[in-house]
Amino acid sequence: MKLLRFGEPGHEQPGLWDNDGNIRSLSEVIPDLAGDILSDASFQKLNKIDVSALPLVQKEVRLGPCVAGTSKIIGIGLNYADHAAETGAKVPTEPVLFMKATTSISGPNDAIEIPRGSEKTDWEVELGVVIGKRAKYVSKDDAFSHVAGYCVVNDVSERSFQKDRCGTWDKGKGCDTFAPLGPWLVTRDEVPDPQNLRLWLEVDGHRYQNGSTSTMIFDVKTLVSYISQFMTLLPGDVITTGTPPGVGMGQQPNVFLKPGQTVRLGVEGLGEQEQQTIAAK
């Protein structure tokens, strides 16, 4: 299933994307895409619904973040060897973890705000892993049973805040609008191999990123298991798994986002995002 949320910010309703490319409302079936609704048992019930009987929603409606109730976003840094190389960093021997504020979450086509004082706002197309079942000290073998599904994430990053302002990466990662999620939460059963997905990103029509999740240093099951050794993952939590090469910081000379640009990105089978950049008020 391709599950989604639609409507104005703060008032999103649950829905799904049917096989004909229509949005169907699930608001009379489930309260939202959050908590226990993200479990395997819940998805099995949803799979039995007569989709054609669900109300149609106009395609022009705003799409919201594809999951609700997120308690945390855990980012993985330098998870592609070629991306580490372009940034001048060493390939890590363990996953590099950072946090993105939940206030950074936005819809897949909402505007990206260039923060006040920003000089180096950058882009990162990533595979997002949405947790569906509480995970604490889980093994690699059991990791996938805790995954609800996958989504596209743009891990927007302000490199000066991240690298030049002392401390951890978090303040360069958690600005408002820095975590567009969606358009869909694609359930785990529709993504048999998350390590074989193409990723891409364009700015103003220029293709900067072209990669594959096959080149991740630490794969999805390793990441879920590893993170669960340090913190409990809850339904709705999102792991954003790293980016392939082609970020603005890796260009010679560097290229960073300015107000008035268009960013398009996608992950194979998980849909596409398109954002306009604007100055933060």
Side-chain angles (χ1 to χ4, degrees), residues 195-209:
Q195 304 309 143
N196 188 31
L197 302 175
R198 185 176 65 88
L199 307 86
W200 58 273
L201 182 143
E202 299 175 350
V203 180
D204 291 339
H206 180 82
R207 181 69 59 97
Y208 282 98
Q209 291 189 278

Side-chain angles (χ1 to χ4, degrees), residues 9 62-63 103-115 121 154 156 175-181 257-263 273-281:
R62 169 188 175 267
L63 295 182
T103 47
S104 69
I105 294 173
S106 60
N109 303 316
D110 291 347
I112 294 173
E113 294 184 4
I114 308 298
T121 297
N154 189 354
V156 187
C175 302
D176 290 356
T177 74
F178 272 26
L181 304 179
L257 294 170
K258 306 294 182 184
Q261 295 186 286
T262 301
V263 182
Q273 300 183 354
E274 181 173 318
Q275 297 114 19
Q276 307 298 312
T277 56
I278 62 173
K281 296 179 179 179

Side-chain angles (χ1 to χ4, degrees), residues 121-277:
T121 297
D122 206 346
W123 57 81
E124 297 189 21
V125 60
E126 306 201 4
L127 170 67
V129 179
V130 179
I131 299 300
K133 181 175 71 172
R134 183 179 183 272
K136 182 176 182 179
Y137 299 127
V138 303
S139 67
K140 290 184 186 179
D141 290 342
D142 190 39
F144 282 133
S145 72
H146 295 266
V147 173
Y150 304 92
C151 67
V152 182
V153 181
N154 189 354
D155 176 21
V156 187
S157 308
E158 212 299 341
R159 303 301 189 186
S160 181
F161 296 178
Q162 176 187 356
K163 292 176 169 288
D164 304 333
R165 299 286 294 273
C166 300
T168 64
W169 290 6
D170 300 21
K171 58 192 169 189
K173 295 284 191 174
C175 302
D176 290 356
T177 74
F178 272 26
L181 304 179
W184 315 311
L185 164 58
V186 180
T187 52
R188 189 178 75 243
D189 60 303
E190 291 199 10
V191 187
D193 185 4
Q195 304 309 143
N196 188 31
L197 302 175
R198 185 176 65 88
L199 307 86
W200 58 273
L201 182 143
E202 299 175 350
V203 180
D204 291 339
H206 180 82
R207 181 69 59 97
Y208 282 98
Q209 291 189 278
N210 250 327
S212 170
T213 58
S214 64
T215 64
M216 280 184 186
I217 299 168
F218 305 105
D219 61 16
V220 169
K221 65 182 179 181
T222 298
L223 294 175
V224 173
S225 174
Y226 182 86
I227 295 168
S228 78
Q229 310 306 308
F230 301 97
M231 64 191 81
T232 300
L233 295 168
L234 300 175
D237 287 353
V238 177
I239 303 169
T240 185
T241 58
T243 199
V247 300
M249 180 173 58
Q251 307 301 309
Q252 298 299 329
N254 293 167
V255 178
F256 296 113
L257 294 170
K258 306 294 182 184
Q261 295 186 286
T262 301
V263 182
R264 292 184 61 245
L265 60 149
V267 179
E268 182 180 357
L270 305 185
E272 299 182 7
Q273 300 183 354
E274 181 173 318
Q275 297 114 19
Q276 307 298 312
T277 56

